[in-house]
């Protein structure tokens, strides 16, 4: 069971570079999320999606973009990376019909911007 | 802005004792409440969720909710070294919306 898969696991970016964090889930979940977690802090919602073609901003969307062309994939795009975007990024998914309130998290992507 | 507050700890508890973790939230309209466990360098995993006032038990874990006081807690009985982790409280504003607001977490250490 793959669950939620994120790539890459680790990445170092230079200021001003761009990159995409990939996320895919094989559970046919409608809901998908991107969170970031700064050291010693809780998770903050960046963007979420309630289904293919539908995305919406979370608490901290500035500097990021997302797309949801399929149910399985929810990539997160970082444009013009800044040191403030150094964080651990978690992709997650759930489907309230099938899994109640269990949100399945990916293993995380550690991003450092220097 | 919705806020979820937790004591960051660290909280140290002897093995076999009861660990008590507390969480308060600011949005009185919040409907569902979650406790996640996160080991260092790992992703969060759901331990329990609770919707109704009162206690909900699952094995060694008990979640307690008091909506009037805007307070939710997690009790861990017979604490084990494997319970050492950061515990995140999360709150959802309504049942149809899965946007969770997380607290900063409480770091729990079980002392053998």
């Amino acid at each position: 069971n793959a669950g939620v898969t994120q790539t890459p696991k680790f990445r170092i970016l230079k200021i001003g570079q761009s990159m995409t964090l990939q996320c895919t889930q094989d559970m046919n979940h409608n809901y998908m999320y991107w969170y970031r977690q700064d050291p010693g802090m809780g998770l903050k919602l960046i963007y979420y999606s309630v289904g293919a073609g539908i995305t919406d901003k979370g608490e901290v969307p500035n500097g990021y973009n997302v797309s949801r062309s399929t149910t399985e994939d929810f990539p997160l795009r970082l444009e013009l990376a800044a040191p403030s975007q150094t964080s651990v990024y978690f992709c997650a998914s759930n489907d309230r019909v099938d899994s109640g309130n269990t949100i399945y998290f990916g293993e995380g992507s550690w991003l450092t911007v220097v | 802005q919705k806020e979820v507050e937790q004591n960051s700890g660290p909280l140290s508890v002897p093995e076999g004792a009861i660990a008590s973790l507390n969480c308060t939230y600011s949005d009185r309209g919040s409907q569902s409440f979650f406790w996640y466990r996160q080991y260092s360098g790992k992703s969060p995993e759901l331990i329990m969720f609770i919707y109704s006032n009162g206690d909900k038990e699952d094995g060694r874990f008990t979640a307690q909710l008091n909506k009037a006081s805007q307070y939710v807690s997690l009790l861990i009985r017979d604490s084990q070294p494997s319970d050492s982790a950061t515990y995140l409280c999360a709150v959802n504003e309504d049942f149809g919306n899965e946007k969770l607001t997380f607290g900063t977490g409480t770091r729990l250490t079980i002392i053998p």
Side-chain angles (χ1 to χ4, degrees):
Chain A
N1 293 335
V4 179
T5 303
Q6 294 180 231
T7 57
K9 192 168 180 66
F10 300 97
R11 182 74 186 267
I12 298 174
L13 274 183
K14 293 184 178 179
I15 294 172
Q17 286 186 322
S18 300
M19 75 162 296
T20 298
L21 297 175
Q22 302 292 343
C23 177
T24 186
Q25 52 93 6
D26 62 358
M27 297 171 282
N28 202 33
H29 286 168
N30 287 320
Y31 295 82
M32 294 189 74
Y33 316 84
W34 275 106
Y35 287 92
R36 59 175 287 173
Q37 185 176 33
D38 297 333
M41 304 294 287
L43 285 79
K44 293 191 182 297
L45 183 64
I46 305 171
Y47 270 95
Y48 69 102
S49 169
V50 300
I54 305 170
T55 63
D56 207 348
K57 296 178 181 178
E59 186 181 355
V60 290
N62 291 343
Y64 307 94
N65 276 300
V66 293
S67 60
R68 185 90 183 273
S69 58
T70 66
T71 299
E72 295 78 19
D73 300 309
F74 191 41
L76 177 71
R77 178 81 175 165
L78 280 73
E79 304 281 4
L80 299 175
S84 61
Q85 292 178 303
T86 294
S87 191
V88 182
Y89 292 84
F90 289 101
C91 180
S93 74
N94 85 326
D95 187 320
R96 295 187 68 249
V97 174
D98 291 342
S99 60
N101 287 280
T102 300
I103 292 182
Y104 294 85
F105 285 89
E107 293 188 340
S109 296
W110 274 255
L111 176 67
T112 301
V113 182
V114 295
Chain B
Q1 180 162 345
K2 301 179 180 64
E3 293 185 348
V4 177
E5 302 283 343
Q6 294 181 255
N7 187 325
S8 62
L11 175 65
S12 297
V13 173
E15 183 176 356
I18 296 175
S20 178
L21 304 163
N22 303 316
C23 173
T24 59
Y25 58 95
S26 63
D27 184 4
R28 187 169 288 277
S30 298
Q31 297 288 340
S32 48
F33 308 86
F34 305 83
W35 282 101
Y36 283 82
R37 177 176 61 199
Q38 187 176 26
Y39 293 114
S40 181
K42 301 295 185 182
S43 56
E45 55 180 332
L46 181 68
I47 299 175
M48 293 190 69
F49 60 88
I50 185 167
Y51 304 142
S52 304
N53 277 329
D55 295 357
K56 179 182 178 182
E57 187 174 319
D58 183 2
R60 295 186 297 112
F61 298 95
T62 299
Q64 299 175 317
L65 175 61
N66 184 326
K67 287 188 177 181
S69 300
Q70 295 175 237
Y71 175 92
V72 59
S73 64
L74 179 70
L75 301 177
I76 307 174
R77 291 181 301 280
D78 188 23
S79 298
Q80 302 297 311
S82 59
D83 295 327
S84 297
T86 296
Y87 289 79
L88 300 167
C89 174
V91 174
N92 191 357
E93 62 183 14
D94 64 65
F95 293 113
N97 181 339
E98 300 298 334
K99 293 190 295 180
L100 296 180
T101 300
F102 283 84
T104 56
T106 297
R107 187 155 57 92
L108 173 66
T109 300
I110 305 302
I111 304 169

